[in-house]
Amino acid sequence: MRRVSIFGATGSIGQNTIDLIRRAPDDYDVVALTGATNIEQLARDAINLRADVAVTSDENRLPALRDALAGSGVQAAAGEAALIEAAARPADWVMSAIVGAAGLAPGMEALKQGTTLALANKESLVTAGPLLMAEAKRHGCTILPVDSEHSAVFQGLIGEDIKTVERIIITASGGAFRDTPIEDLANVTVEQASCHPNWNMGQRITIDSASMFNKAMELIETKEFFGVSPDQIETIVHPESMIHALVGFYDGALMAHVGPPDMRHAIGFALHYPDRRKLPVERLDLAKIGQFNFRAPDTARYPALDIAARVMAEGGLTGAVFNAAKEQALDEFIGGRCGFIDMAQAVNRVVDVMLTREGLQNATITLDSVHDADAMARALTVEHIAKTKG
Ligand code: NDP
Ligand code: MG
């Protein structure tokens, strides 16, 4: 039996992970499940999967979690320290699927235990890629990318030498507004931005897909995870979301990973790696699909892509600043305090301001320095948006 823990169990990735585990319950010994606000789901899954402990990040919800788990034998815990304690529990495989910068610390802790980390939390690589990768190396751990594009690249590289890679092409659906006239983007609503044409995901990543902040994050993730240089990474809009990424080699070959837009593929690949097992995903009927389309991304429509290029060029804590500003700008948009296109404008501005401060590019990346840069960038984002909108 493999001991598994799922951080962010109540979310979209977490629930897809549970779906796979449920299909072979005798293969897994569930150690910890974590959530934040959805106590009912967390307790239900923890009881059904006979987890050792269920943790909510929100201390105010501990009484509710205790009530929901009463008599089940599953321990209840809450708060940031409890998340770290859960990550320190011995496990063979840990899914990192908390949304946002909050996912970094539990993932780092799991690596300290020598665990295989299935990494959906892209913010870990964007804010602290070098730190995370060094920690994995120090403890001899494997990190398996779960973001579909990076899982695709990882699979394309099996048996290959990274030195023979010329370029990595990350595909993008184009999100909710890929065909919306640019002049209308100023007035789109949160509801409109929360509908993805192909993928069914959490609200935050769905809106980030519409703005392509998600793709911006993925370009940075690619650089950090695979250690390639920014000029080797390309983005192409592919509206069907069936080719997840392509790896281009020195001999001109392009290896594409093709599959249905279903996260259970990437999750299942990481769960069973290095084996492949049958997965409950749709088998593509290519004749029925007929064609795949591609277009170059328009950076006027998607300014986030240019910001990503800058973040990769500057390095250091620029990623942490970028991510925090992006998370805060998204909160402001969801909260009705700024418009859709104001997000990129604010993030750009905050990255600019923070880069003028000494040492951001060359700062040592630690959990503390990331935390401080994150707090500063969030405060500046709120301030900037209040000033420009007020
Ligand atoms: P969801 O919003 O669906 O789920 C997020 C999870 O994190 C939930 O379990 C939520 O708890 C929990 N959570 C929220 N805030 C905190 C916090 N401050 N501390 C601890 N836990 C918290 O997100 P997704 O599943 O869509 O995404 C998870 C991660 O995976 C993100 O980093 C995303 O970018 C990445 N990813 C997602 C993909 C997808 O298909 N969804 C694809 C590729 C990457 P609760 O629900 O109980 O409040
Ligand atoms: Mg992705």
Side-chain angles (χ1 to χ4, degrees), residues 290-372:
Q291 58 182 13
F292 286 152
N293 290 282
F294 304 97
R295 5 175 156 147
D298 171 0
T299 52
R301 178 180 293 278
Y302 302 117
L305 296 178
D306 282 342
I307 308 180
R310 206 154 151 232
V311 171
M312 288 191 282
E314 302 288 357
L317 287 170
T318 318
V321 166
F322 163 72
N323 178 69
K326 184 223 69 147
E327 286 192 30
Q328 189 64 48
L330 182 56
D331 284 345
E332 302 299 304
F333 175 59
I334 293 173
R337 294 180 292 278
C338 78
F340 182 76
I341 57 173
D342 300 326
M343 290 191 287
Q345 208 257 342
V347 174
N348 213 1
R349 178 75 193 138
V350 170
V351 169
D352 260 354
V353 169
M354 293 281 289
L355 277 172
T356 60
R357 298 190 179 176
E358 225 173 295
L360 187 65
Q361 296 95 318
N362 303 317
T364 312
I365 304 179
T366 63
L367 283 181
D368 286 341
S369 67
V370 167
H371 185 268
D372 293 349

Side-chain angles (χ1 to χ4, degrees), residues 122 147-149 218:
K122 56 187 77 189
D147 211 341
S148 56
E149 295 77 3
E218 291 179 356

Side-chain angles (χ1 to χ4, degrees), residues 122 147-150 199 201 205 214-215 218 221 263:
K122 56 187 77 189
D147 211 341
S148 56
E149 295 77 3
H150 307 80
W199 294 92
M201 310 183 286
I205 186 175
N214 180 48
K215 212 47 55 182
E218 291 179 356
E221 251 183 299
M263 283 310 294

Side-chain angles (χ1 to χ4, degrees), residues 33 44 52 118 127 198 209 219 258 272 355 383:
L33 296 184
R44 192 165 46 229
D52 298 339
T127 60
N198 306 327
S209 296
L219 300 180
V258 186
H272 303 307
L355 277 172
E383 199 181 297

Side-chain angles (χ1 to χ4, degrees), residues 180-189 333 338-342 389:
T180 305
I182 290 197
E183 57 277 17
D184 293 350
L185 291 180
N187 297 315
V188 297
T189 64
F333 175 59
C338 78
F340 182 76
I341 57 173
D342 300 326
K389 298 268 108 190

